[in-house]
Amino acid sequence: MRPQRFGNLILIGMFFAGSFLYFDLHYRYWYHFMEQFGLFLYTNSYFLEFCREPGGMNEYLNEALMQFFYLPHVASVCLASLLGLITVSAHLFFRRCGYLLSALWSILPCFLFWIYPPETVAIPLSMLTGILAVVGYTYSPRNNWRYAYAAGILVTCYLLATPAHFLAAILLSFYEFKSASKSKYMAVTIYIGGSMLLPLIAMRTLFVVPMEEAFFSKYLYHPEYPQPGSFRLFWLVFPLVTTLSVLLQKWQPKVGHKLVISFVILTGGIIAGIVYGGNALEQTYRYDYYARNSQWQKIVDHAEQQAVNDQNALIYVNLALSHTNQLSNKQFDFRQAGVDGLIPKDPVTRVDLITASEVAWQIGHINSSQRYAFVGVLSSERRVQPRLMKRLVETYLVNEEYKAAEKYITILEASLFYRDWANEKRQYLNRETAGKTPWIVQKRAVNVTTDNPFDPAKALPNALAYLLDDHPGNKAAIEYTMAYVLLYKDLGAFMQYMQTAKGFYKTLPVHYQEAICLFYAAVQPDPEAFKTFKIDKAVYDRFIGFCNAAGNSQELLKKQFGNTYYYYAQFENMPNQEQL
């Protein structure tokens, strides 16, 4: 094997390995999250639906691949493989055009996917389709039949993977321009013009779709989700690199120097990407992954090791503390953000709707949990969201709306990774079976029975108060209520709710004991009343130690007492309060 070819294979192999590490280290949980916004169904009607749209087969394959993002590391392998195939195909195209530059020229455009990671694999799949089709064209006989083949390529790319036909037309033009054919200018004009006319012809003959969908397919264009600027960069980058290849084709350094330079640049790029790259919300997506798998303790463990740096991540931490019965003992181990750290405010985004539904489900506000889930399904780009569809099934079963539950169970049964869950839930469509199922009985026992006009995401304290009026034994609701009043330093309201809360515990939680100490020391001194609460000696001694050390610097006090409620009450700013 010639040194240059072997060196190019090494470069491509390095890029594949670097891509896997980059996406797995920085975007693993984000792609787990994005898997929830597609649902590949093993039905004939689902396949036929994609056949009726331009670019439908590209999206069908995209959904088929993305269903496996449910599994660990699959997204990273899939993206690295697609980028590797794009690199190989582009390098082969450059070689067929006579551009003898190294494989680095084919790799550099793919770094754009590192800078702007795609939400799905639809764009790299479409690009790969266009480049592969043109590579096949370069092997066709140099006669007039190749024009028919080119026309077939453009039509096929449009129908199967639009807008791949635009990329194919531009690359076909570059290839023809390199030829000695006298008709190359006419061919270039026909290829570019034909690619622009194809969507217009199709929307008047084959498809009844808006112009934007005819040009880009409804799966890459959505009126409620505007295309980012990076979308056009993805399609322009290879034509730009090809243009540079034409301009620089006379600059051909020796093979050894060229490979050394390529190795240095690629190694530096991979290291820089892995070291300095990252997703600001990766912690939230990690916690979302743990939450959907009911791994609540993993959220707590991770938050104890790494600072919580995002509001949605904090919501998941507090929710995990509630699920693991630690909210009243560890709430102030983490920096809080008022009510916004308990539930999203007026949720509209993907993450907010999921977290709001999770919190409402936990505190027993079943109808609100259902509403957030329903809005999340309808507002998703593809009108499916299996995570929230599962929640809809659960809320419908709790509310005894069995026909509605059956609808979503039937849909989920046609998928691969949600089939077993749906099959297990089908038995609860029987009223008697549902009425004997512990988790359904438990949720029905705390569900609202009177008219509760308050949305937890807009008026959490009022919604909680109504829940407790209906069911004073709702432990999750009382703990969220106590968490709220402690956050806003309302010790009077805390002591009122304490009469209900203390019935849940043999030993009062640490933060409750700390708040009681503070109340009777600073708000309402009453030694006799204080004695009615069983305060642990260690908690009391630590509170006395805090009082004695009050003259020390805040930094020193934080090191000693930073996870206590009285430190929070003394030093942390109180967020804007909603009336209880």
Side-chain angles (χ1 to χ4, degrees), residues 213-247:
E213 291 184 13
F215 273 82
F216 301 110
S217 91
K218 73 176 185 179
Y219 306 104
L220 296 181
Y221 171 84
H222 194 285
E224 297 177 13
Y225 295 86
Q227 290 175 351
S230 59
F231 178 81
R232 290 169 177 80
L233 287 177
F234 287 131
W235 300 103
L236 291 174
V237 64
F238 275 106
L240 289 175
V241 170
T242 306
T243 302
L244 286 175
S245 299
V246 174
L247 297 176

Side-chain angles (χ1 to χ4, degrees), residues 342-355:
L342 297 177
I343 191 169
K345 185 74 172 180
D346 197 13
V348 294
T349 66
R350 294 165 170 171
V351 180
D352 284 353
L353 287 165
I354 292 174
T355 52

Side-chain angles (χ1 to χ4, degrees), residues 269-558:
I270 291 174
I271 293 175
I274 291 175
V275 172
Y276 297 106
N279 186 343
L281 295 178
E282 184 69 0
Q283 187 179 46
T284 293
Y285 297 132
R286 176 192 288 267
Y287 292 172
D288 178 81
Y289 176 75
Y290 290 155
R292 71 186 291 199
N293 291 289
S294 299
Q295 297 172 329
W296 300 106
Q297 188 57 46
K298 282 191 174 183
I299 296 177
V300 178
D301 293 342
H302 185 273
E304 288 177 336
Q305 296 172 7
Q306 297 190 19
V308 180
N309 53 27
D310 177 72
Q311 183 171 292
N312 285 109
L314 178 60
I315 293 173
Y316 270 127
V317 170
N318 286 325
L319 181 60
L321 291 172
S322 177
H323 273 280
T324 56
N325 296 311
Q326 300 178 83
L327 182 60
S328 50
N329 285 306
K330 290 189 173 183
Q331 178 182 359
F332 296 100
D333 286 8
F334 309 96
R335 186 173 179 83
Q336 295 294 324
V339 69
D340 293 335
L342 297 177
I343 191 169
K345 185 74 172 180
D346 197 13
V348 294
T349 66
R350 294 165 170 171
V351 180
D352 284 353
L353 287 165
I354 292 174
T355 52
S357 183
E358 289 284 357
V359 173
W361 176 259
Q362 172 67 358
I363 64 176
H365 212 295
I366 307 302
N367 289 340
S368 289
S369 179
Q370 183 182 103
R371 183 173 68 256
Y372 303 142
F374 190 72
V375 172
V377 172
L378 289 183
S379 62
S380 63
E381 189 170 351
R382 290 164 177 79
R383 297 294 187 266
V384 292
Q385 219 285 17
R387 162 87 167 279
L388 293 179
M389 291 165 76
K390 289 168 63 177
R391 177 50 45 81
L392 286 175
V393 170
E394 293 169 333
T395 58
Y396 287 139
L397 290 174
V398 171
N399 287 331
E400 301 185 64
E401 297 171 335
Y402 298 109
K403 290 295 183 181
E406 184 178 17
K407 168 188 173 181
Y408 289 101
I409 287 173
T410 301
I411 294 173
L412 293 170
E413 283 177 332
S415 66
L416 178 61
F417 292 104
Y418 301 97
R419 180 181 301 160
D420 292 341
W421 184 93
N423 288 337
E424 191 269 335
K425 293 298 182 288
R426 180 169 286 278
Q427 64 180 312
Y428 305 132
L429 296 176
N430 180 285
R431 188 180 300 272
E432 292 184 4
T433 304
K436 298 177 182 178
T437 303
W439 69 267
I440 295 178
V441 172
Q442 180 186 11
K443 288 300 180 183
R444 287 177 179 176
V446 297
N447 200 4
V448 292
T449 56
T450 58
D451 184 20
N452 188 338
F454 294 103
D455 183 343
K458 296 181 178 179
L460 179 63
N462 304 85
L464 289 168
Y466 267 74
L467 284 173
L468 292 173
D469 283 344
D470 283 346
H471 303 289
N474 186 340
K475 184 179 179 182
I478 190 66
E479 289 191 337
Y480 262 82
T481 302
M482 300 294 264
Y484 177 87
V485 296
L486 288 177
L487 283 170
Y488 291 95
K489 307 178 185 180
D490 190 346
L491 291 178
F494 168 80
M495 292 305 296
Q496 291 178 10
Y497 281 109
M498 193 68 234
Q499 302 306 313
T500 300
K502 65 183 181 181
F504 290 104
Y505 312 99
K506 293 181 179 179
T507 301
L508 290 179
V510 172
H511 291 324
Y512 295 178
Q513 295 186 49
E514 293 169 345
I516 291 170
C517 290
L518 185 61
F519 177 80
Y520 284 111
V523 179
Q524 184 179 312
D526 189 339
E528 295 302 319
F530 177 70
K531 291 177 182 179
T532 62
F533 295 94
K534 296 180 180 179
I535 306 299
D536 292 345
K537 186 177 184 302
V539 174
Y540 181 76
D541 289 345
R542 196 178 185 199
F543 174 69
I544 296 300
F546 175 78
C547 294
N548 293 333
N552 294 336
S553 67
Q554 182 180 346
E555 183 179 354
L556 183 60
L557 289 172
K558 185 174 184 179

